[in-house]
Amino acid sequence: MTFATVKDATSQSVGTEEVGSVFDVALETFARLSKRAEDWILRQMTNIPLAQQGEAGDFLEKALSTRSFKSIKRRVVEAKFKDSGAEILGVIGGDADEDSWGIYEDGDDNADE
Amino acid sequence: MAVTSSDSAEQATQRMKGPMEKLRKVELARSYVELVKDVGELQKSARDHLPADPKGALVPYTRLKELAMLLAELQDPTEGAAVHLVSHVQRSADQLWLEMRKIMTDEFEAVLQKSNWPSTEVDPTKEWDDCLGKLLDLQGPELTDARSPIILLPMEVLAKTFVQQFRYHFFSDKPTNSPQQLGDYFFEWFIGTVGKWEDFLRENIGPVLASHFRGNVLLAGTSLFIDPVAAFITALLPVLKEKVDSLLPQICKEPQNLSKFIDQLLTFDQKIRERFLYDAGNPEYGWKGLTWDVLDIWFDKWLAVEKDFAWKRYKEIIDNPDTRLIDFESADAGKTKATFASLQIKDLIINITKQYKRVRRFRYKMSFLIDIQATILDDYMKDLEDPLFTFDQIYNPVTRMGYNKDSIEKSRGINGLDRLCRIYCSAEHLTTLCKEWSNDAVSTTITLFSHQLT
């Protein structure tokens, strides 16, 4: 549901308590978008060449909250260990055999709790 | 004669018709004259009571007023008969009221003149109090019947000199009357004048009003009648409204000025409510403000202007490639950073909310929310979503063929990660905004909406 839909719906429902729907949809839309972007970051990290993993990790740590960063990191590690990473995530052209971010960052998972 | 010379009862009845009709007309004419005479006597009687006894004057005036109303009511069933008489009585009643008002207000004005009003040094005498009381007596029935804020007669007299000052400064060819000054001077003048006289009014007029309305169940609880500052504001507002109404057509084609002026109006309304606790006699919902009536006419124009400003600013933000970068200074370490664009769009959305937050009508708030804020957020959402769509396409072996090598390279490695983080950080920042915004705006609009329902 986009804002355009909300616009129409809310225009008709002005005068009802459904006014809350504008805010709910705004919230849901951006939250969904950030979730999609997060999933893509995860895929990107899973497929990033070994040579760039350190730089990518640092960049991610700077840009994201500790919680998000650690969550992504954990999921990348899990994905790579569980089923050769790329395959389980359905990534085309992944570097599943390369050394993973998880191994690279071994033992550092709880450092910034 | 007509009866005795008739051969039959029918003939006699026929012959009597003419004289009987004449007799009826004579009787009608007599009643007509009687009524006109009564009207004249009621008028004279009312005048005779003034200025000494306004309550006494009200008795004949009320009879005359009731007579006028009764005749008007009777006119319909009689198919608009005696139109001249009805309008004469109505006119006489109206004219008498104006005369009575004038006699009484002239008396108070003369007293004020003697005491050098307006001066804060004035020490109101017993004469003042008497005149004030008499004017309130005269206005008694009008106050009881009032369904909207009404100006107290004595306050109208007290405020007359300030209304003249206002006209001198803001309706003449003085520089203070330049449309380009908008409300810079006259709103300040209004608030300054009320502020200057606040103490005087409370000390000197307040007790008179309190004692006059004490025990009056209907009127004693109304701020307009017992709060002298509220009564003073009510007396001054019409001239200010006249000024506002005359200024708007002059500036409506200048978007910057229209926007600024509506903001000044909203600020003025708020100051009057907050500083002087003015509620226009409506303790439950408060004073509707000058803006209320103004927006009835100018809202669409104002909305269009604000929408245009907001949209231009939004375009300026997203058309600047530098704003797409992540601002690593935007949050402390360990927290998600925002992009420059999302920070600026958040500011823009908050500023728009500030513009309409003080507007009292629910549907106006909704128009800002839907026409401006939701439109901007909708566009920004698409703007963030499009690159994700590109990622979907590039990583799909079927659709990837539609993209060149350069595009594919940009979506890989650190470059791709950077682009994704920008989307993520922007979306996260806007999610936070929506949470804060939702709590704030929903509570305000819903509360106001429920007020309007009642």
Side-chain angles (χ1 to χ4, degrees), chain A residues 3 22-23 26 30, chain B residues 310-311 313-314 317 341-357 368-380 429-430 432-438 440-441:
Chain A
F3 284 106
V22 177
F23 308 104
F30 283 106
Chain B
W311 193 252
R313 173 66 189 135
Y314 169 69
I317 295 168
S342 64
L343 287 165
Q344 289 170 13
I345 286 168
K346 180 181 173 181
D347 287 346
L348 176 64
I349 295 290
I350 289 171
N351 282 333
I352 297 166
T353 308
K354 278 184 192 159
Q355 281 171 332
Y356 71 76
K357 200 170 184 176
F368 264 82
L369 178 67
I370 293 166
D371 285 3
I372 306 181
Q373 292 176 311
T375 308
I376 286 174
L377 288 177
D378 190 27
D379 196 84
Y380 189 49
H429 194 61
L430 267 290
T432 314
L433 161 75
C434 290
K435 279 180 192 160
E436 296 166 1
W437 184 40
S438 167
D440 180 31

Side-chain angles (χ1 to χ4, degrees), chain B residues 233-296:
Chain B
I233 290 171
T234 309
L236 288 178
L237 278 175
V239 73
L240 182 63
K241 183 176 183 321
E242 191 183 329
K243 178 66 197 172
V244 166
D245 289 344
S246 71
L247 181 61
L248 277 159
Q250 297 176 59
I251 58 163
C252 68
K253 289 190 177 131
E254 302 159 18
Q256 291 280 4
N257 281 343
L258 180 66
S259 171
K260 190 178 167 195
F261 187 61
I262 300 286
D263 183 63
Q264 287 183 338
L265 259 175
L266 288 163
T267 306
F268 171 80
D269 287 350
Q270 201 174 358
K271 274 189 186 168
I272 293 289
R273 286 188 199 106
E274 287 172 2
R275 180 167 165 188
F276 303 112
L277 303 175
Y278 185 68
D279 67 2
N282 188 340
E284 200 171 353
Y285 303 119
W287 180 44
K288 63 179 185 175
L290 286 178
T291 322
W292 184 282
D293 292 332
V294 164
L295 293 185
D296 274 349

Side-chain angles (χ1 to χ4, degrees), chain B residues 74-88:
Chain B
L74 291 173
Q75 216 181 8
D76 271 350
T78 53
E79 294 170 350
V83 63
H84 296 299
L85 183 67
V86 175
S87 67
H88 169 72

Side-chain angles (χ1 to χ4, degrees), chain B residues 356-371:
Chain B
Y356 71 76
K357 200 170 184 176
R358 292 173 297 169
V359 173
R360 300 198 123 201
R361 267 193 207 272
F362 176 79
R363 66 187 165 94
Y364 293 159
K365 283 174 187 280
M366 284 303 295
S367 296
F368 264 82
L369 178 67
I370 293 166
D371 285 3

Side-chain angles (χ1 to χ4, degrees), chain A residues 3 7 10 15 19 23 26-27 29-31 33-34 36 40 44 52 56 59-60 62-63 65-66 68 92, chain B residues 334 336-337 362 366 370 378 381 391-392 395 400 411-414 418 420-421 424 428 431 435 442 446 449:
Chain A
F3 284 106
K7 243 171 102 170
T10 316
V19 61
F23 308 104
L27 198 61
T29 309
F30 283 106
L33 197 63
S34 97
R36 268 184 73 197
W40 266 109
Q44 196 77 4
Q52 290 184 357
F59 179 81
L60 213 56
K62 259 172 75 186
S65 69
T66 308
S68 305
I92 309 296
Chain B
T336 304
K337 312 299 179 292
F362 176 79
M366 284 303 295
I370 293 166
D378 190 27
M381 183 201 69
F391 271 87
D392 286 337
Y395 279 84
R400 192 192 329 188
S411 67
R412 288 181 183 277
I414 296 285
D418 181 22
L420 290 166
C421 282
Y424 175 80
E428 276 288 294
T431 307
K435 279 180 192 160
V442 167
I446 295 287
F449 168 63

